[in-house]
């Protein structure tokens, strides 16, 4: 009996030690897989802003909620409710009810992380005039490009992938004015049933005149689809007040390049190449501009700094109706192209009249 009792105590000790070891390892496993503790990263508006009274409040973070957050308007209690009209623009979207009047002071304060962690925050802003005008993207100046590069490993969560392509989407709009509702671009591609490929879905904040959305892709991402003829990205510009511009399409890509130069492993797309006329995709606005100018593309031309050269005209709406602004973790980049990926033939500006003719061709060739 004494021996059995001793063995039982040894077994219980082993179980306890194993449990402690497992608990000690769990945080490390979670950390290795990229798991994060609840945390509020950022908000729109930020403290001190003037923000449209009818716009949703947007919050980005990990496992956040407003269950322990209160709001007052000029010191009087109000409520934070889900903003259905802004669904998909941020992980957490709420609106103030009743809607504040322009000039009133709104204070949002409390713990955004619920029971699992503490992440208190306080945001005070002034309600501005309601935003009722839809965003106005510059459709003709927007384009996308694809870089087929040497494979490198990257990790999302606990899964490791091999990136072999990168997508860069240039989105243009008029420069946002102070006090306007935040504009976000939603970029999607849904392959047809006959194409064995993966869908694309990106949301980028347009905080400046140029927004560049980038994404790493596997070599098999487009499957049997030919990027030059089968891929049309649909873009919708929406703002936090519920206004949306008509959707438009970008296709074909303006630039494509293949380069097997080794790249380091990472978790994001490699820097966008400095595109040249040799990268212009036949049939695209870039190629049309070059052909119209009467000059042959060459590989020895000076790079175009990752953007399509301009024709000297801005703010054209094409056939999409009213224009609007865009936003997200925008990389901004250099000043955006003024005309849908219209490529300069000599890197310093071509014949104005010929490029104006090219612009007309762009409108015909770009599908919507």
């Amino acid at each position: 009996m004494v021996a059995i009792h001793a063995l039982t105590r040894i077994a219980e000790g082993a179980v306890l030690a194993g449990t402690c070891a497992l608990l000690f390892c769990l945080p490390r496993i979670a950390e290795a897989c990229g798991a994060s503790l609840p945390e509020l990263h950022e908000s729109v508006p930020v403290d001190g802003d003037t923000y449209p009274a009818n716009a949703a409040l947007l919050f980005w973070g990990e496992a956040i909620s407003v269950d322990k957050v209160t709001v007052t308007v000029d010191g009087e209690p109000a409520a934070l409710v889900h903003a259905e009209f802004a669904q998909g623009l941020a992980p957490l979207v709420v609106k103030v009810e009743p809607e504040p009047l322009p000039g009133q002071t709104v204070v949002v304060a409390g713990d955004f992380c619920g029971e699992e962690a503490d992440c208190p925050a306080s945001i005070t802003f002034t309600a501005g005039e309601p935003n009722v005008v839809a965003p106005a993207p510059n459709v003709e100046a927007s384009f996308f490009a694809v870089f087929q590069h040497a494979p490198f490993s990257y990790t999302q969560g606990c899964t490791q992938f091999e990136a072999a392509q990168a997508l860069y989407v240039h989105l243009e709009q008029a420069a946002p004015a102070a006090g306007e509702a935040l504009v976000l671009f939603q970029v999607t591609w849904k392959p047809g049933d006959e194409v064995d490929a993966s869908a694309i879905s990106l949301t980028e904040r347009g905080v400046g005149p140029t927004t560049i959305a980038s994404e790493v892709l596997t070599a098999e991402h487009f499957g049997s689809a030919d990027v030059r003829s089968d891929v049309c990205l649909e873009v919708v510009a929406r703002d936090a007040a519920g206004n949306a511009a008509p959707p438009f399409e970008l296709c074909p890509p303006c630039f494509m390049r293949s380069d097997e130069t080794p790249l380091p492993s990472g978790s994001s797309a490699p820097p966008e190449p400095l595109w040249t006329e040799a990268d212009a995709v036949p049939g695209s606005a870039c190629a049309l501009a070059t052909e119209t100018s009467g000059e042959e593309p060459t590989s020895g031309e000076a790079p175009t700094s990752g953007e399509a050269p301009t024709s000297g005209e801005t703010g054209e709406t094409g056939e999409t109706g009213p224009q609007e602004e865009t936003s997200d973790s925008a990389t901004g980049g250099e000043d955006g192209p003024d005309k849908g990926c219209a490529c300069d033939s000599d890197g310093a500006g071509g014949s104005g009249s010929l490029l104006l003719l090219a612009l007309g061709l762009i409108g015909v060739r770009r599908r919507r």
Side-chain angles (χ1 to χ4, degrees):
M1 291 292 293
V2 173
I4 293 175
H5 183 65
L7 289 173
T8 301
R9 294 183 72 112
I10 291 172
E12 290 174 346
V15 171
L16 179 60
T19 302
C20 291
L22 179 60
L23 291 174
F24 178 76
C25 290
L26 279 176
R28 300 188 176 208
I29 293 173
E31 181 180 353
C33 290
S36 302
L37 292 174
E39 182 181 6
L40 176 66
H41 298 317
E42 57 183 312
S43 69
V44 171
V46 298
D47 196 53
D49 271 355
T50 295
Y51 194 65
N54 65 333
L57 313 184
L58 311 180
F59 300 93
W60 288 265
E62 304 290 339
I64 54 176
S65 75
V66 292
D67 294 344
K68 297 166 65 176
V69 177
T70 61
V71 59
T72 61
V73 178
D74 277 354
E76 295 297 320
L80 293 174
V81 300
H82 177 66
E84 182 65 32
F85 61 84
Q87 183 69 35
L89 299 184
L92 178 62
V93 291
V94 296
K95 61 180 179 178
V96 179
E97 285 193 351
E99 183 178 300
L101 298 175
Q104 290 188 307
T105 299
V106 182
V107 179
V108 179
D111 183 0
F112 284 82
C113 290
E115 303 295 332
E116 293 142 359
D118 293 327
C119 51
S122 179
I123 302 163
T124 300
F125 67 93
T126 301
E129 293 293 332
N131 194 154
V132 296
V133 178
N138 189 339
V139 177
E140 296 301 331
S142 301
F143 68 96
F144 77 98
V146 177
F147 179 31
Q148 297 170 330
H149 52 73
F152 68 84
S153 297
Y154 74 100
T155 302
Q156 286 185 342
C158 293
T159 306
Q160 190 173 61
F161 299 88
E162 188 173 75
Q165 302 180 83
L167 174 73
Y168 308 92
V169 187
H170 287 239
L171 302 162
E172 301 294 322
Q173 66 174 343
E180 291 183 349
L182 176 67
V183 177
L184 297 98
F185 288 105
Q186 294 179 302
V187 181
T188 58
W189 176 61
K190 297 178 181 178
D193 295 337
E194 70 282 0
V195 177
D196 182 17
S198 301
I200 291 172
S201 180
L202 301 172
T203 298
E204 292 288 332
R205 283 175 276 178
V207 295
T210 298
T211 297
I212 305 176
S214 60
E215 181 80 351
V216 290
L217 306 171
T218 64
E220 301 79 21
H221 190 98
F222 291 113
S224 59
D226 184 343
V227 181
R228 291 174 172 82
S229 58
D230 300 335
V231 177
C232 281
L233 303 181
E234 181 178 90
V235 182
V236 177
R238 300 170 56 197
D239 68 26
N243 307 300
F248 63 93
E249 286 187 335
L250 297 177
C251 57
C254 246
F255 299 109
M256 289 190 69
R257 179 187 296 182
S258 295
D259 187 343
E260 291 302 313
T261 303
L263 294 171
S265 295
S267 59
S268 60
E272 185 172 7
L274 300 177
W275 306 110
T276 70
E277 291 168 352
D279 302 318
V281 174
S284 71
C286 297
L288 283 174
T290 300
E291 292 165 7
T292 304
S293 70
E295 297 193 22
E296 295 294 329
T298 65
S299 59
E301 296 286 351
T304 60
S305 302
E307 61 181 81
T310 67
S311 66
E313 299 192 13
T314 59
E316 302 214 10
T317 62
E319 301 172 2
T320 63
Q323 301 295 293
E324 74 181 66
E325 308 181 2
T326 64
S327 149
D328 172 10
S329 44
T331 59
E334 305 81 25
D335 292 339
D338 292 306
K339 205 61 182 171
C341 193
C343 295
D344 229 302
S345 63
D346 58 6
S351 168
S353 58
L354 290 177
L355 284 179
L356 286 176
L357 176 59
L359 301 183
L361 292 175
I362 292 168
V364 174
R365 295 296 291 270
R366 172 159 298 166
R367 290 185 285 163
R368 292 181 168 75

